[in-house]
Amino acid sequence: MKQHWKFFASAAAALVWLWVSTALAVPWARSASLHLPAAYVVFVIGGVALLPAYLMGAMFLSNLLHRKLPPRRHPGCRPVSVIVCARNEEASIYRTIGSIAQQEYDGRVTILCVDNGSTDGTVAEIRRAAADFSRPGRVIRLYGCCEPGKARALNEGLRHVRDEYFVTVDADTCLEVSALSAIVGRIAATGAGCVAGNLVCAETRTWVQKMQFWDYFVSIAAVKRYQGSYGSTLVAQGAFSAYETAAVRAVGGWTDGAGEDIVLTYRLLAAGRRSLYEPRAVSFTAVPATLGALARQRSRWAKGMFEGLAAVKPWRQPGFFAGYFETLNLSIVWLDLGYIFGFVPGAALALLGMPWLAGWVTLLVLPLMLIGTVSVCRYQRRIPEMAGRSSLWGFVLFVLVFQTVQSACSLWGYAAALARRGLAWKP
């Protein structure tokens, strides 16, 4: 009940802010309608101003009410399995396995490595890691899955899990030394179906990675914290999440597609299980270094969202919060369309002396964005296990460029979903 009043209080305050924003937008809409079709103006203003006003307001206020870090839960000597799927990951998988084997974890850790038809030295690196890191309490096993597809590789790993809980870790992700203890302790203490970890960018060498640091550190973390406060984190990401083995088997494991982790999370929620977020479970994941690689990743995520919606409709979620957040996810399509076909052309028109859809009023969003960013950063920096290299240049790019890239890539993914076109996990 305590969580309910926090949700409704933040939602009510966001609705008041939405009403104020709408009142401020009316003169803007009337002025723009003198030059552009009225329906287009309303669509754009709703997508780039009013919808974000509600979404960001509700999330910011809810996270403010949940500003305390969750208590640390210790898993004791509970045994756990860790599934690591790999396809052509020879450059990183040795380091990943090492980070798991060297965890400060009292129980037995069984690392199930599944090679998904690699053509490089991935298998040799797994065997080298097994030779170097195996010891009492740390078991490393290698399995093969010849059928291409991450879902198939994950299901092969699941077939060999013998513990009550298991964790998935991507082959290019390294865990902070106490991450496994934090995430297993949380799922064991709460009885949740799954728990998502706190991902941070491992490297920020290129300008594309510098932008993504802030996306992971601020945006993704804030969304997961918001949804997780109500037991409905919509994506327990495959890069680092914990699961109850029986719950995953009961819903049939992973299904083949661009968003196998999204679909699995939706199905766990539909089965009445909670999906949480553990900020203390910090891991460092490799992110795309080029614009093309980022486009492929984000379009795959967008397609995965549609796969999740197709698998479990919002109104079929038994819990109010899961259905509510799933519905909000669908509204992001409006935001992306409004941004690409409204704000971006509006900014171009403003540069030509026609500030109909974007002008000095648009800059008012920057102080609000800064307040939200500072709030999330303060929360993240309070986590003792947190580390990461931020940059002011990366933040500037994140504010000015990232949303354009994100929305454009998402539209590509939406189109692929509607056309039922596949997007590969690995080439």
Side-chain angles (χ1 to χ4, degrees):
M1 187 60 68
K2 183 179 179 181
Q3 300 297 71
H4 284 66
W5 83 256
K6 290 182 178 181
F7 172 82
F8 288 112
S10 59
L15 285 172
V16 171
W17 175 241
L18 175 61
W19 179 81
V20 173
S21 300
T22 302
L24 293 172
V26 168
W28 174 19
R30 286 174 177 167
S31 175
S33 296
L34 297 175
H35 310 279
L36 299 166
Y40 171 72
V41 170
V42 171
F43 177 81
V44 172
I45 292 177
V48 305
L50 303 184
L51 176 62
Y54 174 76
L55 296 178
M56 299 303 294
M59 182 172 68
F60 170 74
L61 293 168
S62 176
N63 285 346
L64 201 61
L65 293 173
H66 292 93
R67 58 185 176 275
K68 290 184 179 180
L69 283 168
R72 183 186 295 276
R73 311 281 189 174
H74 197 279
C77 296
R78 187 184 306 273
V80 65
S81 296
V82 180
I83 300 176
V84 182
C85 298
R87 178 177 172 82
N88 296 335
E89 298 281 6
E90 67 172 331
S92 59
I93 193 165
Y94 178 87
R95 186 169 61 253
T96 295
I97 295 172
S99 78
I100 301 168
Q102 295 167 343
Q103 285 289 292
E104 295 175 352
Y105 191 86
D106 296 334
R108 171 180 50 77
V109 179
T110 302
I111 306 172
L112 307 173
C113 302
V114 183
D115 175 62
N116 193 211
S118 296
T119 56
D120 62 359
T122 296
V123 171
E125 287 297 286
I126 294 173
R127 288 175 175 152
R128 182 165 76 96
D132 291 349
F133 299 120
S134 294
R135 57 185 172 84
R138 297 293 182 269
V139 180
I140 303 172
R141 294 177 179 152
L142 171 62
Y143 301 97
C145 176
C146 296
E147 289 185 275
K150 191 174 183 180
R152 295 184 179 93
L154 286 164
N155 285 325
E156 175 63 25
L158 178 63
R159 212 165 57 83
H160 300 282
V161 173
R162 300 292 179 266
D163 299 315
E164 184 178 4
Y165 301 103
F166 71 91
V167 174
T168 60
V169 178
D170 275 357
D172 56 4
T173 300
C174 290
L175 306 187
E176 189 274 333
V177 293
S178 63
L180 192 60
S181 177
I183 203 166
V184 177
R186 184 73 182 280
I187 194 171
T190 59
C194 56
V195 177
N198 190 350
L199 292 179
V200 183
C201 291
E203 291 184 325
T204 54
R205 293 178 292 103
T206 70
W207 69 272
V208 176
Q209 291 172 322
K210 292 180 191 296
M211 287 195 304
Q212 289 172 87
F213 172 87
W214 291 100
D215 183 43
Y216 278 85
F217 195 74
V218 175
S219 300
I220 294 176
V223 170
K224 288 190 180 297
R225 182 174 148 211
Y226 177 35
Q227 298 171 346
S229 297
Y230 308 103
S232 300
T233 299
L234 290 186
V235 186
Q237 70 283 338
F240 181 41
S241 290
Y243 302 86
E244 183 189 275
T245 306
V248 174
R249 285 177 173 155
V251 299
W254 292 268
T255 55
D256 195 29
E260 71 289 327
D261 48 2
I262 300 174
V263 174
L264 175 61
T265 310
Y266 280 25
R267 285 181 167 165
L268 288 172
L269 288 168
R273 305 304 302 269
R274 287 186 298 160
S275 174
L276 303 179
Y277 168 64
E278 177 49 65
R280 296 181 186 271
V282 178
S283 63
F284 305 93
T285 190
V287 298
T290 66
L291 196 57
L294 177 62
R296 289 189 292 273
Q297 180 198 64
R298 296 308 168 105
S299 61
R300 192 171 65 249
W301 289 5
K303 185 174 185 290
M305 184 189 77
F306 269 73
E307 291 173 349
L309 289 164
V312 183
K313 306 296 189 296
W315 55 88
R316 295 194 180 279
Q317 289 289 1
F320 166 78
F321 293 118
Y324 171 79
F325 287 123
E326 198 176 333
T327 302
L328 285 191
N329 243 17
L330 188 58
S331 74
I332 300 301
V333 178
W334 181 11
L335 187 152
D336 289 327
L337 287 168
Y339 198 89
I340 294 300
F341 296 109
F343 179 79
V344 173
L349 288 172
L351 292 175
L352 296 174
M354 294 172 283
W356 303 330
L357 289 176
W360 68 269
V361 178
T362 313
L363 298 177
L364 294 177
V365 74
L366 294 179
L368 299 176
M369 184 177 183
L370 184 60
I371 292 172
T373 299
V374 170
S375 174
V376 177
C377 285
R378 288 186 63 184
Y379 182 90
Q380 290 277 67
R381 294 300 185 190
R382 285 166 48 208
I383 301 171
E385 299 82 3
M386 181 58 66
R389 296 180 180 179
S390 60
S391 82
L392 180 60
W393 171 235
F395 180 70
V396 172
L397 288 171
F398 173 68
V399 172
L400 299 179
V401 178
F402 187 80
Q403 187 58 56
T404 302
V405 175
Q406 171 82 2
S407 293
C409 296
S410 294
L411 292 179
W412 179 14
Y414 302 151
L418 294 174
R420 300 183 182 277
R421 182 166 56 84
L423 293 171
W425 167 44
K426 288 280 185 180

